[in-house]
Amino acid sequence: MRPHRAANPDETAAWRAVARESVRAFDLIFMPSVYGLGATDGARRAAGHLKAGRALMQPILDRYVAGARTPVARLWRRWAVARSPYVRAFDEALIHARARCTCAPEPPWPQLYSRGSLPLIHRHTSDRRLLEEDPR
């Protein structure tokens, strides 16, 4: 999968929304006390933001799959999307947040929270002023 290039302004806005949800989840996991929450409550809210971010990312991935010219290419793209680092990163982060919610042993730190490992997320999280454009 090659999601490293946003094709149009709508797609850029969609990636910005995905990045916004990932930063909110990171903040709730890393510093829940800033929001007046404990670790488990922060993780519970973070899981909600991760689900929202994954849901916002799905139409982008679906458009990528639908853009294939042949059925074989669509099948290959569907396979590539399922194994993409973006999908894996959100899945890992959700597993991490859920483990923290239940006070279970936490898996290793998710890739989603590593700066620079996912270019489209990093591009939209490098300036937090962009993240504050959406009052929610």
Side-chain angles (χ1 to χ4, degrees), residues 68-79:
R69 294 183 182 159
T70 65
V72 172
R74 268 190 300 283
L75 181 64
W76 184 87
R77 283 186 177 192
R78 194 172 296 119
W79 176 82

Side-chain angles (χ1 to χ4, degrees), residues 112-132:
L112 183 64
Y113 302 146
S114 301
R115 302 283 299 156
S117 63
L118 301 168
L120 289 169
I121 302 293
H122 179 68
R123 181 182 311 151
H124 297 293
T125 59
S126 59
D127 184 359
R128 284 199 175 240
R129 287 175 296 166
L130 293 174
L131 300 172
E132 299 305 322

Side-chain angles (χ1 to χ4, degrees), residues 2-70:
R2 295 193 51 115
H4 298 293
R5 192 179 85 223
N8 58 44
D10 292 337
E11 195 163 312
T12 300
W15 278 111
R16 183 175 291 140
V18 171
R20 187 178 298 120
E21 294 298 331
S22 71
V23 166
R24 287 181 179 146
F26 174 82
D27 286 348
L28 286 163
I29 288 287
F30 191 63
M31 8 180 223
S33 60
V34 170
Y35 300 95
L37 301 170
T40 55
D41 291 332
R44 193 170 294 114
R45 278 198 184 168
H49 286 291
L50 292 167
K51 288 178 191 175
R54 181 64 177 86
L56 289 168
M57 190 171 54
Q58 192 58 49
I60 300 168
L61 301 175
D62 291 343
R63 281 192 299 273
Y64 172 75
V65 170
R69 294 183 182 159
T70 65

